[in-house]
Amino acid sequence: MKGSLLLAMLMVAPAEAEVRDRARAQSVLETARNAVKQADAKAARREEAAAKLKEAEAHFQSARYEEAAQAADGAWKLLSTSAASQPTHFTVAVDDKGSTTVTSHSGQPVRVEGQGVTRSVGPNTSMRVDKGQPPPEPRPLLGVPLPTQPANKLKLTVQPAKGGLGPVTLAWKAVEGAAGYEVELVPAQGEKRVLTASTAQLKVPLPAGAYRWSVRALAGEVRSEASPEHGFEVAEAPAKSIKLEVQPSKWK
């Protein structure tokens, strides 16, 4: 009985090790795939990295998991080295729910590890990792919408309307991939307002006064950077005078 139990234990140990090695190799492969996919087509050593990745894929298919992990890591390092000449700029933000958003703007890819999964966040991509969850695939950053109306520092005269004057139309250039927009409107006097829009414009009744505003694009949990801030003034249009014409009577 003891001999049989020992044999069973010896058989289980290699199986567990193989599962662990396979999971590690698969995780490193995913990181390398993302790095190659996100690399600029003209980036230095991209072709060399792609060839290294192909080698790693072949090792993985043949169940040579340790060799696959080493080759995939080599592919990632090739692209990291080529990006080293650019300044690395990335940000990390944690919200009140414990979710972490990693945003890479330039330079070397950022490696994010969690729950046994490793991902590469390359330049111009972002990733939101929920607490206790493995890191998902990174998403491309959204472009920054550019305000177009009203022109910066424009003085508007607006007819009275219910709720104030106006409405005043705020407009901006649409961003590819955006599902909506968030407008931050700041009056010279009063509290800031945050408004949402599903299209690239928003009509808002406003009291007379001076305002500053900016807009950012939204797509799920991804938020673009805020646009450059524009300003404008709103004044009530003068009342139109009514001209009365009195016709002479035809009665005598």
Side-chain angles (χ1 to χ4, degrees):
M1 178 68 72
K2 290 183 180 180
S4 299
L5 180 60
L6 178 60
L7 179 60
M9 292 177 64
L10 290 174
M11 291 176 65
V12 170
E16 290 180 348
E18 183 177 358
V19 170
R20 184 176 60 251
D21 291 346
R22 186 181 189 280
R24 177 178 176 274
Q26 193 168 21
S27 179
V28 180
L29 265 171
E30 283 296 322
T31 300
R33 289 190 193 110
N34 288 334
V36 171
K37 182 171 63 176
Q38 294 163 10
D40 189 289
K42 297 180 181 179
R45 311 191 78 177
R46 186 184 186 281
E47 290 187 5
E48 188 178 350
K52 199 74 174 174
L53 176 61
K54 189 174 182 180
E55 177 189 336
E57 300 279 11
H59 284 314
F60 189 83
Q61 293 299 324
S62 301
R64 297 192 295 272
Y65 301 126
E66 183 62 31
E67 292 90 336
Q70 291 178 1
D73 193 55
W76 182 86
K77 287 178 178 178
L78 283 170
L79 291 174
S80 298
T81 303
S82 67
S85 58
Q86 303 179 34
T88 299
H89 175 209
F90 69 94
T91 58
V92 178
V94 181
D95 63 20
D96 53 2
K97 296 181 181 179
S99 297
T100 303
T101 300
V102 180
T103 304
S104 176
H105 300 279
S106 64
Q108 301 184 54
V110 180
R111 297 178 77 166
V112 179
E113 299 182 7
Q115 304 297 314
V117 176
T118 302
R119 301 286 191 198
S120 174
V121 186
N124 297 315
T125 61
S126 180
M127 174 195 294
R128 176 188 168 93
V129 185
D130 292 329
K131 188 175 182 180
Q133 298 297 317
E137 290 282 352
R139 298 181 180 181
L141 289 180
L142 289 171
V144 178
L146 299 177
T148 58
Q149 180 184 342
N152 194 26
K153 300 181 180 179
L154 183 67
K155 294 183 178 181
L156 304 171
T157 54
V158 185
Q159 296 293 334
K162 185 177 180 180
L165 303 177
V168 173
T169 300
L170 306 178
W172 52 90
K173 289 185 177 181
V175 171
E176 184 178 357
Y181 301 89
E182 183 180 88
V183 174
E184 187 174 284
L185 184 63
V186 184
Q189 295 182 344
E191 295 185 356
K192 174 182 72 176
R193 296 170 63 185
V194 177
L195 310 167
T196 57
S198 57
T199 61
Q201 70 171 26
L202 184 67
K203 294 185 177 182
V204 192
L206 295 172
Y211 296 86
R212 295 178 290 111
W213 72 286
S214 61
V215 58
R216 67 176 75 234
L218 308 175
E221 301 295 337
V222 180
R223 294 156 54 89
S224 75
E225 294 185 5
S227 70
E229 200 171 61
H230 277 202
F232 62 92
E233 290 185 27
V234 175
E236 183 175 348
K240 294 181 179 179
S241 59
I242 301 176
K243 184 179 181 180
L244 298 177
E245 293 186 1
V246 180
Q247 298 293 334
S249 174
K250 295 181 181 180
W251 295 94
K252 293 185 178 179

